[in-house]
Amino acid sequence: QVQLVESGGGSVQAGGSLRLSCAASGYTYSSDCMGWFRQAPGKEREGVAALYTDGGSTYYADSVKGRFTISQDNAKNTVYLQMNSLKPEDTAMYYCAADLGTEDDCYTLSAPMYPYWGQGTQVTVSS
């Protein structure tokens, strides 16, 4: 019954901002990795950011450091991805993922470790 639902995607101009939300249901945050991944057409899925829910440790891909921020609202079972200074190369389908009841290996940004995934939300950045 675990369900993840992304929202907040859209189309923005380069330099703009978006905030993605991932609403989780069917469980309550405890010691979990919550990750954001993205996939552009014809390319591999890549890890963008991840957060360990029990303490809020965060991890980022080099390509988004300083521009993106992952955060959580435990009361709402929601994780966010604030995306600033967006670039055309950020254009992709963005997916929220959860790895429940885990140690903090979120830094790996490794898609195969995540058993639960949302359906994705499209982010398009125009030049």
Side-chain angles (χ1 to χ4, degrees), residues 3-101:
Q3 188 172 19
L4 306 174
V5 180
E6 302 96 334
S7 62
S11 182
V12 298
Q13 294 185 357
S17 298
L18 286 172
R19 189 172 81 153
L20 307 183
S21 299
C22 174
S25 61
Y27 70 99
T28 302
Y29 285 4
S30 57
S31 298
D32 314 309
C33 290
M34 299 296 297
W36 284 100
F37 296 79
R38 66 187 182 187
Q39 188 166 24
K43 296 188 176 181
E44 296 289 327
R45 187 168 299 186
E46 64 174 338
V48 175
L51 177 151
Y52 194 54
T53 60
D54 72 345
S57 297
T58 59
Y59 311 95
Y60 298 93
D62 289 342
S63 60
V64 306
K65 285 181 179 177
R67 299 189 298 121
F68 291 10
T69 303
I70 188 171
S71 61
Q72 66 179 340
D73 184 338
N74 287 345
K76 296 182 178 180
N77 280 10
T78 299
V79 64
Y80 304 95
L81 185 68
Q82 179 67 46
M83 304 185 294
N84 299 325
S85 301
L86 283 162
K87 305 174 180 179
E89 51 263 45
D90 295 318
T91 295
M93 184 72 74
Y94 282 71
Y95 298 91
C96 175
D99 183 14
L100 309 181

